């Protein structure tokens, strides 16, 4: 007798993978804790995180929104201005250091850096460069809008029962003088690049882990019962400044992020990891969920991931809620999966043959 003789089919490649259609692969995730329909759930992170919030809403779960669009704004316009893309109007939070930066502003009373980007009489927020497509009318308006988002982020931390965060990038741009981070390289979406002040950093495992742990601990101090659900974006990098081929850079980035998420989830019972990255990127699924550009995830792929997500909660939430969990989100036929993503704008700087 040996330990392998007592293992279930899911522990072996042949019965779990090779002998099945890729659409029959199951038991990929056993949630640590229940996600019940009435539980307020906050969602933040990289571009792919947007789909979790939409899926929660489509299945009548309680997606927590603390910053709503102005009264009368049409849904399409609201999304263009980053309303109800995440739980509040932070824009994409690609790195764990950006998450720590936002958490410090929200919970420790730290004031954001006194920096504003101006172009053609319009004002842009360096920390949310794309939330206003054409910029703000004044610096004052920009600062007030950012403070609203910070206050709303604070409310998300205090009111949510589950905080979902999707890790997206290891590559980052920092202000060398102030020691703070931008979500995008200055001079891409807005602002002007200064090589003496704006430095590229490709973050390592210890740095990413430290920032995520610090963020979690800060949040738990004000909301001791808060649980965390981590995912890793399956979307490859649009561009890399690492000097490596973009394929190699993507593999490094996603591997490190996956390792950090798994490491933290393994040692904390209030932190879980959902394998959206594996579902989309595993060779088992043969690239079936990517658009022809091999980067953007199709609407069908998003729905496939979300189906695994909600199906896994069936045993946790009880039989009376199964129908709600199984309710499928209708994939958008015309829209790509990544709908609001500043990083995609980097594609404009690539040379064309």
């Amino acid at each position: 007798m040996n330990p392998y003789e007592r293992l279930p089919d899911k522990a072996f490649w042949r019965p779990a993978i090779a002998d099945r259609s890729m659409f029959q692969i199951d038991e990929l995730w056993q949630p640590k804790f229940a996600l019940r329909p009435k539980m307020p759930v906050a969602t933040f992170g990289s571009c792919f995180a947007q789909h979790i919030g939409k899926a929660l809403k489509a299945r009548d779960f309680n997606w927590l929104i603390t910053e709503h669009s102005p009264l009368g704004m049409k849904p399409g316009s609201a999304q263009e201005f980053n309303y109800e893309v995440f739980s509040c109007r932070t824009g994409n939070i690609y790195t764990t250091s950006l998450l720590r930066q936002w958490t410090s502003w929200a919970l420790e009373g730290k004031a954001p850096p006194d920096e504003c980007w101006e172009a053609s009489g319009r004002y842009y927020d360096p920390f949310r460069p794309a939330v206003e497509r054409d910029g703000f009318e004044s610096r004052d308006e920009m600062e007030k809008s950012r403070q609203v988002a910070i206050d709303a982020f604070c409310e998300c931390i205090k009111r949510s029962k589950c905080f979902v965060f999707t890790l997206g990038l290891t590559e980052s741009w920092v202000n060398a003088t102030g020691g703070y981070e931008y979500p995008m390289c200055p001079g891409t979406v807005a602002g002007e690049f200064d090589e003496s002040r704006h430095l590229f950093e490709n973050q390592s495992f210890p740095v990413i882990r430290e920032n995520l742990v610090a963020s979690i601990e800060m949040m738990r101090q004000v909301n001791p019962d808060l649980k965390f659900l981590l995912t890793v974006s399956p979307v490859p990098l649009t561009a890399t400044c690492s000097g490596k081929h973009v394929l190699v850079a993507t593999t490094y980035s996603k591997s490190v992020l996956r390792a950090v998420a798994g490491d933290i989830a393994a040692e904390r019972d209030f932190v879980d990891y959902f394998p959206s990255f594996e579902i989309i990127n595993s060779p088992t699924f043969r690239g079936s969920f990517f658009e022809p550009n091999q980067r953007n995830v199709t609407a069908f792929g998003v729905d496939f991931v979300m189906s695994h997500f909600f199906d896994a909660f069936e045993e946790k939430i009880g039989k009376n809620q199964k129908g709600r969990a199984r309710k499928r989100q209708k994939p958008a036929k015309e829209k790509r999966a990544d709908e609001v993503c500043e990083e995609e704008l980097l594609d404009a700087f690539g040379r064309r043959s």
Side-chain angles (χ1 to χ4, degrees):
M1 178 70 71
N2 67 73
Y4 290 93
E5 293 181 85
R6 296 190 295 269
L7 294 178
D9 282 353
K10 71 175 183 178
F12 296 91
W13 188 268
R14 183 183 56 76
I17 304 295
D19 290 347
R20 299 189 180 198
S21 158
M22 66 180 183
F23 299 109
Q24 295 176 323
I25 296 172
D26 57 7
E27 296 185 84
L28 294 175
W29 180 49
Q30 291 75 46
K32 287 184 179 181
F33 44 80
L35 187 66
R36 302 183 184 280
K38 292 184 178 181
M39 287 175 57
V41 180
T43 61
F44 292 96
S46 70
C47 307
F48 198 79
Q50 299 169 26
H51 305 300
I52 298 175
K54 292 176 182 177
L56 287 167
K57 183 177 180 180
R59 290 165 172 83
D60 300 323
F61 279 69
N62 187 8
W63 181 30
L64 179 62
I65 300 293
T66 58
E67 188 175 6
H68 294 275
S69 60
L71 188 64
M73 180 177 278
K74 295 180 180 179
S77 297
Q79 181 168 282
E80 287 182 12
F81 287 89
N82 276 261
Y83 288 102
E84 299 185 23
V85 173
F86 302 105
S87 288
C88 67
R89 207 168 169 231
T90 58
N92 292 293
I93 301 177
Y94 291 108
T95 63
T96 62
S97 43
L98 280 172
L99 178 64
R100 186 175 185 177
Q101 191 165 273
W102 273 94
T103 306
S104 296
W105 294 343
L107 300 181
E108 296 185 335
K110 293 185 178 180
D114 184 25
E115 182 174 352
C116 178
W117 295 341
E118 182 180 358
S120 302
R122 304 294 292 182
Y123 297 82
Y124 297 84
D125 187 345
F127 310 105
R128 304 180 305 151
V131 295
E132 288 282 334
R133 181 177 52 193
D134 300 316
F136 294 90
E137 289 186 0
S138 67
R139 182 189 184 109
D140 183 62
E141 182 188 34
M142 180 272 289
E143 291 177 345
K144 287 181 178 178
S145 174
R146 182 201 294 155
Q147 189 59 51
V148 168
I150 292 172
D151 293 341
F153 188 72
C154 182
E155 282 298 303
C156 281
I157 295 169
K158 292 178 178 179
R159 291 172 52 191
S160 61
K161 295 296 184 182
C162 180
F163 190 98
V164 181
F165 184 68
T166 299
L167 293 80
L169 297 175
T170 58
E171 298 190 9
S172 60
W173 288 92
V174 298
N175 185 295
T177 304
Y180 50 85
E181 184 176 341
Y182 307 101
M184 290 292 295
C185 175
T188 53
V189 177
E192 294 183 6
F193 180 74
D194 182 345
E195 62 180 10
S196 67
R197 293 190 300 122
H198 301 140
L199 302 182
F200 172 79
E201 291 184 357
N202 200 6
Q203 299 176 15
S204 64
F205 179 100
V207 170
I208 296 166
R209 189 185 190 283
E210 178 187 358
N211 284 317
L212 184 52
V213 169
S215 300
I216 289 172
E217 290 179 348
M218 278 191 282
M219 294 186 201
R220 293 269 292 184
Q221 285 179 359
V222 300
N223 187 350
D225 296 325
L226 183 60
K227 294 178 172 59
F228 295 84
L229 182 56
L230 305 177
T231 67
V232 172
S233 170
V235 181
L237 277 65
T238 299
T240 178
C241 219
S242 65
K244 306 292 185 182
H245 189 285
V246 68
L247 180 61
V248 176
T250 293
T251 302
Y252 169 82
S253 180
K254 303 302 180 179
S255 299
V256 171
L257 296 176
R258 173 62 182 90
V260 168
D263 189 52
I264 294 175
E267 66 181 23
R268 290 166 169 81
D269 59 5
F270 56 85
V271 180
D272 203 355
Y273 171 78
F274 172 68
S276 57
F277 174 78
E278 288 87 337
I279 294 172
I280 296 297
N281 281 278
S282 171
T284 300
F285 297 103
R286 304 164 192 171
S288 301
F289 304 129
F290 284 107
E291 297 280 5
N293 66 4
Q294 295 300 300
R295 181 180 185 275
N296 296 108
V297 179
T298 64
F300 176 76
V302 170
D303 189 61
F304 189 77
V305 169
M306 292 299 101
S307 295
H308 275 275
F309 180 82
F310 286 99
D311 287 350
F313 281 114
E314 285 193 349
E315 293 184 4
K316 289 284 184 180
I317 64 179
K319 294 181 179 180
N320 62 322
Q321 297 294 345
K322 284 187 178 182
R324 191 190 302 248
R326 282 191 172 275
K327 180 182 175 183
R328 296 292 190 263
Q329 179 182 8
K330 292 182 180 179
K333 295 181 179 180
E334 300 299 327
K335 295 181 181 179
R336 280 188 343 198
D338 276 341
E339 297 172 42
V340 181
C341 188
E342 294 101 326
E343 195 214 1
E344 287 192 345
L345 300 176
L346 295 177
D347 186 59
F349 299 95
R351 291 193 298 270
R352 298 290 184 272
S353 58

